[in-house]
């Protein structure tokens, strides 16, 4: 909401979508940091880095398919852009937190 209020036309479909994607990019940076940290933490353990990579690739495929569905279910409506952006942001945030939680303290 802060982004939408600070952005000209922030309450339009495009403005809302741009704000959601900006937040998604912030979460994506955190996700990448947590993924790199998890790979580093488990680097010395047999097969765990490869299993983590396989899990991450499967998650990416799931996110992409789920968000494509979120987009497509609105047909030609303008809401599809917001639905897709929101889906990507939410999935990315959850995965970043999941990766953080799987790392040992």
């Amino acid at each position: 909401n802060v982004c939408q209020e600070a952005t000209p036309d922030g309450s339009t479909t495009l403005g809302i979508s741009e704000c959601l994607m900006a937040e998604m990019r912030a979460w994506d940076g955190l996700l990448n940091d947590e993924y790199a940290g998890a790979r580093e933490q488990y680097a010395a353990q047999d097969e765990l880095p490869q299993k983590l990579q396989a899990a991450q690739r499967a998650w990416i495929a799931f996110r992409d398919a789920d968000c494509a569905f979120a987009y497509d279910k609105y047909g030609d409506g303008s809401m599809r852009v917001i639905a897709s952006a929101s889906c990507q942001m939410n999935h990315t945030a959850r995965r970043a937190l999941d990766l953080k939680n799987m790392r040992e303290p």
Side-chain angles (χ1 to χ4, degrees):
N1 291 340
V2 173
C3 174
Q4 290 173 291
E5 292 170 8
T7 302
D9 298 323
S11 61
T12 66
T13 300
L14 184 57
I16 294 167
S17 177
E18 287 177 358
C19 287
L20 287 167
M21 294 309 290
E23 185 174 350
M24 190 280 299
R25 286 189 295 275
W27 278 111
D28 192 54
L30 293 170
L31 181 148
N32 289 328
D33 291 346
E34 292 300 333
Y35 177 74
R39 294 236 347 144
E40 183 178 318
Q41 179 174 339
Y42 297 116
Q45 297 183 32
D46 291 339
E47 298 182 28
L48 281 181
Q50 294 83 4
K51 289 183 178 191
L52 177 62
Q53 183 180 46
Q56 190 67 8
R57 287 179 176 166
W59 171 80
I60 290 167
F62 169 73
R63 178 205 59 200
D64 291 351
D66 198 43
C67 294
F69 173 76
Y71 181 89
D72 291 341
K73 75 180 183 179
Y74 286 96
D76 292 333
S78 61
M79 185 62 190
R80 66 187 180 168
V81 175
I82 293 172
S84 178
S86 180
C87 179
Q88 290 178 45
M89 188 271 298
N90 286 322
H91 275 298
T92 302
R94 280 192 296 273
R95 184 61 178 168
L97 295 173
D98 287 346
L99 288 165
K100 180 177 182 171
N101 289 333
M102 75 174 60
R103 293 176 58 193
E104 296 175 45

